[in-house]
């Protein structure tokens, strides 16, 4: 749900949490509207809601070419940072080598912090104004309120699991109070998350028409996010309840009550012409029509990941042209898969839809490409930009329309199976956990396996390659230190990110103990 509209909010969580911020959602440079004169009708209220959604997929609020998927990818054992050199997009390099420090406000931590709190501030402003918007019917007001509360919960969940100790801010903060904001216990953050989702869910639609409202959240989205949160909190019984509601009574064979069903062709999930499929639960939307250029990266609506992960110096040979070599756009060789991951997925049916195998293409004489930093010859196929998907205007490499999945059905199937196993539920042949796990495998033609945690871990690694879930899974399972020690991961520290040091200047925000502070 990313579109262009000019919405200038007097965003002010003084430090960098708040700070003046302009979001570009539907640009009309001759008609800027200040927040004080906004919220005069339903159209403006909707524009403000779009501005909240916009932060979910933001890629450049702190540092250019930064997004949550890329950060999570390079932090994991499945990817290197790659790029042109060891200093190319250094903010991602420091994540990949676990050499980051509590820097000012840039880098991965700064991006995640700013993105989250900007989204929360926009939600807070909307929630504070929507009750007095003239001319809104009650059903519309309730729905916008529910969406804003859901999104606030979503942003807070990311913030609390990435930083542990964060402020709980539920109303727009006056400028004379911005330096007195304090952090809240994680338990209080989670309590508010649960409250927001509980209040939001009844007023969200059960389904939405994909052609006109694709990307907007539904009751199914709310239950899916709540199930994920309970799983993260190891509250497995509640996770099972929420995720079972999403997945329905016949996983893999019939749609759930929300219409969710696994798509038949795994590769279709990453086709920009097949957005908002029956598997999509929470989709972050990008387009190829926003005319993003180098001068307005922060307002772009195209998916920059597509240029980040494309093979550098890519060229199709004469032989390749005659034999249908892939029409990749030459990119920046970011986030190449590790050899360990390539060996893991090599014989899996999802390999070709997940891995751009430049090594094999080059050896066959079909293409040439630059062997850049940390090259393995294996890149992310799912997000690789192509000539067939590039924009027709603007800076072509910045305007790709591929969407990210925040949550999709295969994820909720495997999360429910995991929660059943972890809670001591039935796991034998024909059990619910067995059905959920093997529905995901059957979709790609794989035979059934036992419902065990080891098989769940393997399945998630193969299913969600390049989608930014691996690092979060390793942390949740307690496997991060073992799997990531070779990259520099330190147990008891690197499970969270450092709070950007600028937040601690002249304020009551304290650095966490894991990063040398007292909180």
């Amino acid at each position: 749900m990313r579109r262009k509209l000019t919405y200038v909010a007097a965003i002010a969580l003084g430090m960098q949490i708040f700070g003046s911020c302009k979001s570009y959602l539907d640009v009309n440079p001759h008609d800027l509207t200040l927040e004080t004169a906004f919220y005069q009708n339903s159209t403006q209220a909707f524009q403000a809601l779009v501005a909240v959604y916009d932060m979910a997929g933001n890629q450049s609020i702190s540092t250019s070419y930064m997004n949550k998927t890329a950060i999570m990818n390079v932090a994991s054992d499945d990817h290197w940072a790659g790029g042109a050199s060891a200093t190319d997009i250094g903010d991602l390099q420091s994540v990949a080598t676990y050499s980051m420090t509590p820097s000012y406000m840039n880098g991965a931590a700064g991006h995640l912090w700013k993105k989250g709190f900007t989204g929360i501030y926009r939600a807070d402003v909307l929630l504070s104004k929507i009750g007095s918007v003239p001319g809104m019917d009650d059903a519309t007001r309730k729905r916008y309120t529910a969406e804003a509360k859901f999104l606030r919960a979503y942003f807070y969940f990311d913030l609390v699991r990435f930083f542990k100790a964060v402020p709980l801010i539920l109303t727009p903060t006056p400028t004379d109070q911005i330096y007195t904001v304090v952090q809240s216990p994680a338990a209080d953050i989670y309590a508010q998350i649960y409250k927001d989702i509980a209040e939001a869910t009844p007023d969200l639609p059960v389904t939405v028409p994909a052609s006109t409202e694709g990307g907007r959240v539904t009751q199914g989205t709310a239950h899916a996010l709540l199930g994920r949160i309970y799983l993260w909190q190891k509250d497995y019984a509640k996770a099972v309840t929420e995720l079972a509601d999403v997945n329905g009574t016949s996983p893999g064979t019939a749609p759930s009550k929300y219409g969710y069903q696994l798509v038949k062709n795994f590769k279709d999930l990453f086709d920009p012409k097949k957005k908002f499929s029956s598997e999509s639960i929470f989709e972050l939307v990008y387009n190829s029509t926003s005319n993003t250029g180098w001068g307005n990266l922060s307002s772009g609506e195209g998916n920059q990941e597509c240029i980040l992960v494309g093979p550098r110096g890519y060229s199709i040979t004469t032989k390749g042209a005659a034999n249908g070599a892939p029409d990749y756009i030459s990119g920046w060789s970011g986030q190449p898969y590790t050899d360990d991951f390539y060996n893991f997925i090599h014989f899996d049916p999802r390999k070709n839809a997940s891995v751009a195998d430049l090594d094999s293409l080059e050896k066959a004489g079909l293409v040439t490409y630059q062997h850049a930093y940390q090259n393995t010859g294996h890149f992310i196929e799912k997000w690789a930009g192509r000539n067939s998907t590039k924009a027709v205007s603007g800076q072509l490499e910045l305007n790709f329309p591929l969407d990210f999945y925040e949550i999709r059905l295969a994820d909720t199937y495997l999360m429910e199976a995991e929660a059943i196993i972890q809670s001591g539920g039935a796991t034998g042949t024909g059990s619910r956990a067995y059905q959920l796990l093997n529905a995901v495998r059957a979709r790609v033609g794989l035979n059934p396996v036992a419902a065990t945690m080891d098989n769940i871990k393997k399945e998630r690694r193969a299913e969600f390659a390049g989608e930014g879930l691996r690092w979060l899974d390793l942390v949740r399972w307690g496997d991060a230190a073992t799997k990531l020690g070779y990259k520099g991961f330190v147990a008891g520290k690197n499970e969270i990110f450092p709070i950007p040091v600028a937040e601690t200047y002249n304020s009551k925000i304290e650095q966490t103990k894991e990063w040398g502070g007292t909180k």
Side-chain angles (χ1 to χ4, degrees), residues 360-374:
S360 295
L361 291 170
E362 184 182 54
K363 287 178 179 177
L366 304 180
V367 308
T368 60
Y369 75 103
Q370 180 183 339
H371 290 202
Y373 181 61
Q374 294 179 319

Side-chain angles (χ1 to χ4, degrees), residues 267-277 283 388-390 401-403:
K267 192 171 184 178
D268 285 349
L269 288 164
F270 314 101
D271 185 339
K273 296 179 181 178
K274 298 178 180 179
K275 295 172 182 266
F276 315 125
S277 71
E283 189 166 334
S388 54
T389 60
K390 70 182 181 181
L402 279 76
D403 292 353

Side-chain angles (χ1 to χ4, degrees), residues 57-72 74 89-95 106-112 115 286 297 304-305 308 335 404:
N58 182 276
Q59 302 171 98
S60 300
I61 192 168
S62 176
T63 304
S64 296
Y65 322 121
M66 194 67 60
N67 64 73
K68 188 172 77 171
T69 299
I71 295 167
M72 298 296 98
V74 302
I89 311 184
D91 294 327
L92 287 178
Q93 302 288 349
S94 67
V95 174
N106 294 322
H111 175 81
L112 295 170
K115 174 178 177 289
Y286 298 92
L297 281 173
Q304 296 171 15
E305 181 80 345
L308 285 173
Q335 303 160 56
F404 282 143

Side-chain angles (χ1 to χ4, degrees), residues 405-453:
Y405 293 103
E406 190 65 27
I407 309 175
R408 58 182 176 89
L409 190 62
D411 189 8
T412 58
Y413 274 16
L414 294 178
M415 285 194 291
E416 186 190 343
E418 177 180 337
I420 292 170
I421 294 168
Q422 296 284 34
S423 61
T427 59
T429 301
S431 67
R432 172 91 176 171
Y434 180 92
Q435 292 175 19
L436 289 160
L437 167 60
N438 288 300
V440 176
R441 292 176 58 81
R443 187 254 297 275
V444 295
L446 289 170
N447 292 326
V449 294
T452 65
M453 276 306 300

